[in-house]
Amino acid sequence: MNYTTQMDAARKGIITNQMRIVAEKEQMSVETLRELIAAGEVVIPANKNHPHLDPEAVGKRCRTKINVNLGVSKDHNDYDEELKKVQNAIDMKAEAIMDLSCFGKTRDFRRKLIDMSTAMIGTVPMYDAVGMLDKDLKEITVDEFFSVVQQHAEDGVDFITVHCGMNQKTAERIKRNPRLTNVVSRGGSLLFAWMEMNKKENPFYEYYDRLLDICAKYDVTISLGDACRPGCTHDATDAAQIEELITLGELTKRAWEKNVQVMIEGPGHMVLTEIAANMKLEKRLCHNAPFYVLGPLVTDIAPGYDHITSAIGGAIAASCGADFLCYVTPAEHLRLPDVNDVKEGIIAVKIAAHAADLAKGIPGAQAWDDTMSKARVDVDFDTMIKLAIDPVKARTYYESSKPECEGTCTMCGKMCPARNMKRILAGEDITLNED
């Protein structure tokens, strides 16, 4: 039996190879997974032209997945450095990589990225349009916008972010309700500007069915972008954000009518007490479609440490229903991240994702922690280091300060409670003052 997308297959009762792989990873029956995909509550972003993809699921009852952003800008366009970031992300088992390049030979890099990557690949075609078409934003035509989307789909991109909810109605809401940080979404701001300069509707909203037809042909998952995500805690959960979210819910249903898989993108910046309500609001308004969040960053005052402000919010968001976390690096708001920034961002978001999986009771999450705890009570540093989320850093720290007493660390030495309790419970004496 033929099918166009993973959702189409699921609705026809077909179990795809991707579903089998994912079901095993998620410790879920393949029939349960199929039902969740058919309902739109889980997606498997898997472009038909991505040959080496190791498929992953995003959504209900699945492990919280993470995304790594990278790509060049006009001011920093070293593609070799970006490829190092890519390899770093793959080695650290990030489930997704988004190429946000907006300058130069983006297609060459994108094709190389897709060819080498087992992780799912996402892009924002709007970023690429200005550079690839080499035209002023105002002069880009509707057909040209869609030609960029078509190219990304042909190349094998698994999911695309398109800010379809930034329509004329939403734009008016922004103008009538001034925000402290206006529109901070790069793609959203570009579309807002194009609409204002041309006095026209957002082409991706006006011709949404055309976008869906491209996605259906290649099984590209559409990530409905949050152009109105709050760029500071002051702007969180305001009229523009909610206006757009309602629109995204309507667009989700239209996509499902064509068997196109959908994710919803969310905030942004917001204080701790608003996160849970925002997760519930998205799930309700967008019919339980998977939710993909940037952060949320829980305070605005920590440039250089926003991987931490983001991880705090991300852990809470995912524990309250978010399914997919986009990492934030220490360089956020300051510059294009370097290779080390990328690593720091990945580690922070992986911690957040796992913390949320523990709270959600995801199969296998607690077992990892329990195995680490067993190694600690056994004072087995080799096993502890192997189990660490960053084994390289853990070993570097441990070996940089050698203890006097073997089998301990320099924090406690012979007073190590794990070592001493193990010996006392085994009926042995302990000595603290002897050499």
Side-chain angles (χ1 to χ4, degrees):
M1 191 182 297
N2 293 326
Y3 61 89
T4 55
T5 67
Q6 295 292 321
M7 175 175 264
D8 184 35
R11 288 175 166 177
K12 290 176 176 175
I14 300 171
I15 303 298
T16 66
N17 185 51
Q18 290 88 348
M19 292 180 201
R20 290 190 182 91
I21 294 170
V22 164
E24 184 175 351
K25 288 182 179 180
E26 300 294 345
Q27 301 179 43
M28 182 189 302
S29 78
V30 72
E31 179 59 25
T32 297
L33 177 65
R34 184 197 66 76
E35 291 174 354
L36 291 169
I37 295 169
E41 295 181 321
V42 168
V43 298
I44 301 179
N47 189 308
K48 297 171 183 177
N49 292 341
H50 188 172
H52 307 302
L53 176 68
D54 184 9
E56 296 283 357
V58 178
K60 187 176 181 179
R61 296 179 57 180
C62 298
R63 289 176 294 108
T64 305
K65 305 306 187 298
I66 69 164
N67 173 69
V68 173
N69 288 341
L70 44 79
V72 302
S73 67
K74 186 173 183 179
D75 292 315
H76 195 121
N77 49 71
D78 185 342
Y79 280 105
D80 288 337
E81 182 178 1
E82 295 311 299
L83 288 173
K84 291 178 183 177
K85 297 177 188 177
V86 171
Q87 193 59 55
N88 204 358
I90 294 170
D91 291 345
M92 297 178 75
K93 296 181 171 54
E95 289 88 7
I97 298 170
M98 287 198 79
D99 174 21
L100 307 186
S101 296
C102 56
F103 178 79
K105 296 182 179 179
T106 55
R107 192 173 199 186
D108 291 345
F109 176 71
R110 183 168 59 251
R111 284 176 163 176
K112 187 175 293 187
L113 169 62
I114 292 165
D115 185 61
M116 72 183 284
S117 179
T118 53
M120 51 187 168
I121 300 301
T123 59
V124 186
M126 189 69 196
Y127 293 178
D128 197 20
V130 176
M132 189 186 93
L133 298 170
D134 195 24
K135 297 177 69 173
D136 286 337
L137 176 63
K138 183 179 180 180
E139 305 304 319
I140 298 175
T141 67
V142 171
D143 285 344
E144 287 172 330
F145 277 130
F146 279 97
S147 73
V148 177
V149 174
Q150 176 73 29
Q151 186 184 95
H152 283 222
E154 287 177 357
D155 288 346
V157 170
D158 302 297
F159 65 99
I160 55 171
T161 293
V162 187
H163 299 87
C164 305
M166 172 56 84
N167 58 17
Q168 291 283 9
K169 186 177 180 183
T170 305
E172 282 303 313
R173 183 78 67 182
I174 292 170
K175 288 185 279 189
R176 290 200 307 269
N177 298 270
R179 308 172 105 194
L180 189 58
T181 52
N182 298 314
V183 175
V184 299
S185 160
R186 192 192 324 178
S189 66
L190 291 172
L191 277 169
F192 184 96
W194 186 91
M195 291 161 61
E196 289 291 302
M197 290 188 292
N198 288 286
K199 308 303 178 188
K200 291 183 179 179
E201 181 58 276
N202 175 354
F204 296 115
Y205 177 78
E206 185 173 4
Y207 304 104
Y208 186 57
D209 285 338
R210 184 173 176 181
L211 177 65
L212 296 179
D213 289 341
I214 296 172
C215 291
K217 180 178 179 180
Y218 298 92
D219 197 2
V220 176
T221 297
I222 186 168
S223 188
L224 290 171
D226 52 336
C228 297
R229 69 173 181 264
C232 64
T233 55
H234 181 275
D235 292 340
T237 325
D238 69 352
Q241 180 192 334
I242 304 306
E243 173 87 55
E244 183 181 36
L245 192 60
I246 292 169
T247 302
L248 298 187
E250 295 168 350
L251 294 175
T252 296
K253 283 190 169 182
R254 287 178 58 186
W256 287 347
E257 288 171 2
K258 293 201 172 192
N259 292 314
V260 173
Q261 300 186 97
V262 176
M263 297 187 291
I264 308 297
E265 296 189 12
H269 295 234
M270 62 179 51
V271 297
L272 290 168
T273 50
E274 291 187 67
I275 295 174
N278 268 264
M279 301 307 107
K280 185 174 289 187
L281 194 60
E282 182 279 338
K283 290 290 184 178
R284 183 64 179 269
L285 293 176
C286 297
H287 322 294
N288 291 316
F291 200 19
Y292 174 25
V293 299
L294 177 69
L297 283 71
V298 296
T299 179
D300 304 323
I301 53 101
Y305 298 92
D306 276 328
H307 59 312
I308 297 174
T309 66
S310 173
I312 294 168
I316 296 170
S319 70
C320 293
D323 307 287
F324 195 15
L325 300 180
C326 186
Y327 89 154
V328 170
T329 77
E332 184 80 4
H333 303 113
L334 300 171
R335 62 170 169 81
L336 196 77
D338 62 20
V339 174
N340 189 62
D341 295 326
V342 167
K343 179 179 178 180
E344 291 294 311
I346 292 173
I347 293 297
V349 75
K350 282 174 73 76
I351 293 169
H354 180 68
D357 287 349
L358 286 169
K360 290 189 286 191
I362 296 296
Q366 187 64 53
W368 186 3
D369 281 54
D370 290 348
T371 307
M372 174 66 86
S373 298
K374 178 66 166 57
R376 283 187 175 141
V377 80
D378 288 341
V379 203
D380 181 353
F381 283 96
D382 283 337
T383 300
M384 279 187 262
I385 290 167
K386 288 176 184 175
L387 289 168
I389 205 162
D390 183 357
V392 173
K393 188 169 188 176
R395 183 166 294 282
T396 300
Y397 271 57
Y398 179 66
E399 293 182 350
S400 68
S401 182
K402 289 291 186 179
E404 177 187 39
C405 180
E406 188 176 347
T408 67
C409 75
T410 52
M411 174 67 77
C412 298
K414 286 185 177 182
M415 293 185 185
C416 172
R419 170 181 177 271
N420 292 336
M421 286 299 298
K422 183 178 180 181
R423 292 189 175 189
I424 287 293
L425 291 174
E428 301 175 16
D429 290 342
I430 60 171
T431 57
L432 301 179
N433 296 320
E434 294 181 2
D435 292 337

